Amino acid sequence: MNREPLQVRGRVLSVDRAGEYHHLTLVAPGVAERTRPGAFVALAVGGETSAMLLRRAFSIYRAKASGVYGDTVEVVFAVHGSGTAWLADRRAADEVDVVGPLGRPFTLPTEPVPCVLVGGGYGSAPLFALAERLRERGCPVHMVLGGATERRLFGVLEARRSAQTVAVTTEDGSAGTTGRVIDVLPEVLARTGAPVVYACGPMGMLRAVAGLAAEHGVWSQCAVEESMACGVGVCMTCVLPVRDDDGLVRMVRSCVEGPVFRGERVLWDAVGTVPAGTVGAPRVGPGR
Amino acid sequence: MTTVESAGGPTTGSDVDLGVTLAGVYLPTPVMTASGCAAAGRELSPFLDLSAIGAVVTKSVMLDARSGRPTPRMVETPSGMLNSIGLQGPGIDAFLARDLPWLVERGARAVVSIAGGSLGEYAELGRRLGASPGVAAVEVNISCPNVEDRGQVFACDPVQAARAVSAVRRGIPRDLPLLAKLSPDVTDIVTVAASVMEAGASGLTMINTTLGLAIDPDTLAPVLGGVTGGLSGPAIRPMAVRCVWQVHAAMPDVPVVGVGGVRTGRDALEFLLAGAHAVQIGTVLFNDPSAPHRVAEELRAELSQRGFRSPSEVVGLAHRPPAAAPS
């Protein structure tokens, strides 16, 4: 199947509230059938004369090919600034330019092994399609969802329908266990014996999950959140230090080489820096 | 001055031939990608027929692999962005082995942008590139600090800018066009333009980004990892049009490529009227990866509506005295 991204003029089907988040459904012909769990879309914001030129990237929550309303893709987001505020203000039939699906998706296990899926905030969005694919392969799915508050959890009810077990954490104790996902993850890993953990959420959470997974001898697949300008691999802004197959550290683009990385490959403590020894690390003052 | 035939009545779009010849290179449209905004072309191929656009100008390649700067590397600003990438790239050898052949095989016109940290590096890049088949033109990015001149940017000194251009010129075949990409961060861009033309440039690309800074009022610190960054996008279009205008007024026979915030065919037309023979699309590619095709078609319509049949008919037209303008 052709997996190349498309650029299509999407049409808004609905924008709904989901706790503190927004759930946007777009009719975007052709995108859904190319989508695999973990892929993302890059949306232009503000219309054709917008002063906001950079696309906003969102993990795909659901993608339905040939549904009742045609091909749809759904994303979940928080309003962080004027671009996401514009998206939250869209109404049915409004147009939004869509580029996608983009990025490398989650890698699936070849054996029917139990899997733990960890989502922080609306980072849980891409995990539901992943859970479906895992179940199709006979993998028992266990989910851990965390948020600062109950209203900053996403998809708890859906998780209860799609996973064998669900652990919920909130930092303020408004739902589930008081604390963070990392506080309950050791118990979940021990209980399920899962050899692989999938994670999507803030960088701090991913770093903690990847570290814990490594300690437990468990594979981790982390979908990172780096700010992007284009989403398609041309701007070189969304880079992070990753150890390659050859053992060398390179600054790699999270949009095309990611957003899903093996947890042990990312130099989490060095994100935001160019660690010494990175391929091509500067010896002289760089140009622009 | 460019001679201009007076325009007739509106033509149909199909009557407009967008082909142009720039410093001896035929381009099917006058719309190319801008360096640093298209990588080496491959990533845009799902959205664009690369063989049908004017040219692919590659991200500036240096002699050695470069990691670039720490993140954050960009911040959105009103109608633009600041970037501080730091010329991340694979180095010239990997580029020539992997990226250039890919572009050539697809029938794209490859304008290879090169950047050096010293005159020796520019010379070596010229030699390597000069020995490689398939290069349509070389664009010399001189907005780099010169390690041998206390980190002063080549483009900001007419003498050093000319030396960088001449170092590249010596290594490449005589008939290979060389475009010098100028920085707007100078007191008199015409002086720099004249200096690099004298040094062997075949044409000029104007403009590179202009230096800017963004501070986050929440963290109370600069946003970019590299502190300052290059400002690009429609925010700098009037500055770019002014630079093209000034250079065309002083040197009307010099081929100029206008770049800076081109978003629509109308913007492209503005650059042509100021004296550009072609345009490049940079930051707008991040917003619309198919923009080079769209802008070319919009330009076709703009020309057609005004009764022109070719982009070359309008080059520098805005310089004519008002009385000579078509009624």
Side-chain angles (χ1 to χ4, degrees), chain A residues 82-109:
Chain A
S82 21
T84 40
W86 182 85
L87 281 175
D89 283 344
R90 292 309 87 204
R91 292 295 171 263
D94 285 352
E95 284 189 348
V96 177
D97 193 276
V98 179
V99 169
L102 297 163
R104 285 194 184 165
F106 291 112
T107 302
L108 304 176

Side-chain angles (χ1 to χ4, degrees), chain A residues 115-180:
Chain A
C115 298
V116 173
L117 280 52
V118 184
Y122 62 92
S124 59
L127 300 180
F128 300 101
L130 173 65
E132 200 177 315
R133 293 291 296 275
L134 289 170
R135 283 200 318 273
E136 286 166 10
R137 295 185 164 224
C139 300
V141 172
H142 303 272
M143 293 185 94
V144 181
L145 302 182
T149 66
E150 199 224 339
R151 287 175 54 76
R152 290 200 203 171
L153 293 166
F154 178 77
V156 174
L157 281 178
E158 187 172 357
R160 294 201 197 286
R161 284 196 299 269
S162 74
Q164 289 199 354
T165 68
V166 181
V168 171
T169 65
T170 54
E171 285 171 42
D172 69 349
S174 52
T177 307
T178 305
R180 299 179 172 204

Side-chain angles (χ1 to χ4, degrees), chain A residues 7 55-56 236 251 280 288, chain B residues 67 76 88 209 287 290:
Chain A
Q7 180 181 9
R55 282 180 182 260
R56 272 55 171 172
M236 309 299 286
M251 299 301 286
R288 71 171 197 263
Chain B
S67 66
E76 190 174 59
Q88 178 169 347
T209 57
N287 181 257
S290 57

